[in-house]
């Protein structure tokens, strides 16, 4: 079933211990769609500037991602510059030029409206809410956010949370959102704000899903415990940019490819999220995701099983 | 099969967000033995002062731990005072009084010499090496160390590493020991220093075992990948002191209880390590380990399986 994703399509200049790359294709919606496209149809809503040309368009086309909703505006695309020289788990931002993104007004193309899955990538919660409301018929909505919105746009964010089935954020964001330093207590607090399920991303340590009694259809007994997917210990993390969005794409893409949201499907989706996040780190920008094959994805899924399973 | 452990038996004064407790029974050898005692016979080599009385002795007796090797010396026991007020993953040390530990000369009681397993808890590598050499017939030797020995006593530590089968240290220590920030590369570096297997403890994120082609008897194919055991997301971490030593005790205790060191046994041992580490955090000092039952251990083992397994 098709996923519509709204978020940023951008250019990133990135410096890591492995080197430097200028103006890679980036943005949360880009990483998300590439990762999800290995599992299901993906439709993107974003805005780009005049610097977004056939070469970038081709990256989406090669993965059969629907770009009808990528609006072309006068000016430059969103640009981000950052480095991970001291800590591969946390980017240091040097430049954020919103450019055409500053006046982004998401428009949902008519053919997107039958999408059964909706992903609200990390953008202004006011826009997330608007898109959510314009697609009332979706089967499952997941979303992301960041410390900036949690701190300075809390009321708008609270409105978004009410309409989410699954929220994906990192440790610091979860603790900040619930104003609680204990992750289990913080998770419970976040689940009371709306989402049925919370996925907390731990960077190089993987991710944990916290469930509520609304996480699954009533016929499935609610999991008593959280579920933890590891990250793959990588020989070389070339560029961690987009790993979290790729996790989200793999996770949500796999969910959307399955007939029903069962606890077992959810657990496999967490593993596919980790698989896509691990691949994203192996090269700069979206390079690795662009050349990935489903066979490689399955092979790494098996590695994750070996990495965690007793038998 | 019996384990001999050499290390500290001490008093700890601990402050955490959950409260404060003065002069709890502590020390690496204490946590290790209590945790391991649920799986196999444990024999302790340590030194204590005149402040170590029948009440403390009874804690070991209740778990049938052999204390013949706990030497009584004139003076006070090792005392540590620390807090975890800002970060539950890292203790801030306020006081370290070595006391009788300053002149500790480990003596191995004759009945300990047939022990088939040896654990060298975090003490001066010169002493670790001496004990290792005096027990040449052991089947498996594991050990721990810390940043202080890595930084300022590297040559002595290098000698210890040559005689270890399994080294258990944390992320920071592994990176420091190999002088490499990438954990996978650091692990490979450490494995070249002697240990056949390296376990890196990640605090609240669990632990990862890195294998070499010498990790298991030749008839078992060497695991191609690492193995990661999670930690349990805990509602309340009352006191993380001793969690790593309890992990080591659960891990090594389970290994010693099994007829053969197979990859499957090793994986289960990692889970038992996580189980014991999680219990240790639930109360101050050794309180939770003292009142634990094997039934509770098995129940939590099942929780860890649920937390990580796809099916």
């Amino acid at each position: 079933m098709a996923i519509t994703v709204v978020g940023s399509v951008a250019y990133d200049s990135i410096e890591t211990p492995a080197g430097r790359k200028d103006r890679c294709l980036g943005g949360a919606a880009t990483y998300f769609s590439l990762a999800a496209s290995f599992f299901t149809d993906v439709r993107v809503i974003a805005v780009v500037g005049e610097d977004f040309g056939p070469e970038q368009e081709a990256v989406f086309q090669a993965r059969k991602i629907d770009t009808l909703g990528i609006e072309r505006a006068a000016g430059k695309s969103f640009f981000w510059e950052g480095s991970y020289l001291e800590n591969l788990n946390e980017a240091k931002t040097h430049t954020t030029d919103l450019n055409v993104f500053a006046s982004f007004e998401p428009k949902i193309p008519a053919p997107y409206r039958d999408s059964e899955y909706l992903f609200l990538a990390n953008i202004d919660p006011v826009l997330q809410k608007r898109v959510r409301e314009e697609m009332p018929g979706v089967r499952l909505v997941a979303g992301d956010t960041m410390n900036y919105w949690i701190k300075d746009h809390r009321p708008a964010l609270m409105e978004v949370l009410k309409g989410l089935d699954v929220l994906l954020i990192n440790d610091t964001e979860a603790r900040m959102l619930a104003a609680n330093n204990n992750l289990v207590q913080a998770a419970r607090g976040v689940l009371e704000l709306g989402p049925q399920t919370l996925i907390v991303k731990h960077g190089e340590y993987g991710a944990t899903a916290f469930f509520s009694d609304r996480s699954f259809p009533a016929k499935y007994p609610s999991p008593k415990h959280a579920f933890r997917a590891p990250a793959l210990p990588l020989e070389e993390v070339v560029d961690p940019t987009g790993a979290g969005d790729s996790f989200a794409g793999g996770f949500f893409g796999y969910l959307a490819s399955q007939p029903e949201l069962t606890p077992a499907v959810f657990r496999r989706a967490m593993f596919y999220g980790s698989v896509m996040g691990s691949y994203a780190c192996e090269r700069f920008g979206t390079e690795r995701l662009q050349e990935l094959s489903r066979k490689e994805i399955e092979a790494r899924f098996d590695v994750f099983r070996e990495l965690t399973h007793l038998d």
Side-chain angles (χ1 to χ4, degrees), chain A residues 175 180-191 198 210 228:
Chain A
R175 291 182 163 107
N180 192 318
N181 263 329
N182 178 282
L183 193 60
V184 180
Q185 292 176 25
R188 194 180 313 120
V190 171
L191 292 173
L198 169 69
F210 292 94
R228 199 162 257 194

Side-chain angles (χ1 to χ4, degrees), chain A residues 58-298:
Chain A
V59 171
F60 291 87
Q61 297 303 343
R63 293 291 327 141
K64 299 193 170 38
I65 296 163
D66 193 330
T67 58
L68 183 64
I70 300 187
E71 184 190 337
R72 267 72 170 175
K76 282 182 168 180
S77 300
F78 186 2
F79 172 72
W80 177 81
E81 186 178 10
S83 64
Y84 303 82
L85 295 177
E86 276 159 40
N87 182 352
L88 274 168
N89 287 314
E90 205 180 321
K92 193 171 165 186
T93 293
H94 302 293
T95 314
T96 307
D97 293 335
L98 289 177
N99 299 325
V100 298
F101 211 74
S103 48
F104 181 35
E105 294 284 346
K107 290 164 206 72
I108 304 168
Y112 283 22
R113 292 191 178 261
D114 66 355
S115 304
E116 290 186 273
Y117 288 76
L118 174 63
F119 188 77
L120 308 170
N122 167 34
I123 51 170
D124 186 334
V126 170
L127 303 183
Q128 289 181 314
K129 182 170 179 250
R130 200 179 302 161
V131 173
R132 173 71 186 91
E133 284 173 349
E134 284 188 47
M135 295 186 70
V138 291
R139 188 168 160 169
L140 205 70
V141 191
D144 191 1
T145 190
M146 69 185 288
N147 49 8
Y148 171 70
W149 309 115
I150 296 171
K151 231 174 58 178
D152 297 337
H153 293 74
R154 189 172 277 263
L157 182 60
M158 289 297 137
E159 290 301 309
V160 175
L161 295 181
K162 287 180 194 161
L164 283 189
D165 296 306
V166 183
L167 175 67
L168 293 102
I169 49 181
N170 70 27
D171 282 84
T172 314
E173 291 156 358
R175 291 182 163 107
M176 191 189 279
L177 184 54
N180 192 318
N181 263 329
N182 178 282
L183 193 60
V184 180
Q185 292 176 25
R188 194 180 313 120
V190 171
L191 292 173
E192 282 167 8
L193 302 174
Q196 294 150 26
T197 306
L198 169 69
I199 296 178
V200 181
K201 296 174 283 181
H202 310 305
E204 66 171 314
Y205 299 117
T208 306
F210 292 94
F211 304 107
S212 71
D213 51 15
R214 301 164 291 128
S215 290
F216 298 99
K219 63 178 160 177
Y220 301 108
S222 196
K224 270 185 301 191
H225 303 287
F227 183 74
R228 199 162 257 194
L232 190 67
L234 283 175
E235 186 78 19
E236 189 183 24
V237 175
V238 173
D239 173 17
T241 310
D245 301 313
S246 304
F247 178 98
F251 163 77
F252 211 51
Y254 178 75
L255 278 193
S257 75
Q258 296 300 302
E260 201 169 2
L261 175 61
T262 68
V265 161
F266 194 99
R267 292 192 292 265
R268 292 178 66 85
M270 291 281 291
F271 268 50
Y272 279 112
S274 281
V275 165
M276 302 311 287
S278 74
Y279 274 125
C281 296
E282 290 188 350
R283 304 258 297 269
F284 272 100
T286 57
E287 282 174 22
R288 188 67 182 93
L289 296 185
Q290 286 180 49
E291 58 149 40
L292 201 59
S293 70
R294 184 66 195 247
K295 202 176 149 194
E296 288 174 307
I297 293 171
E298 295 307 322

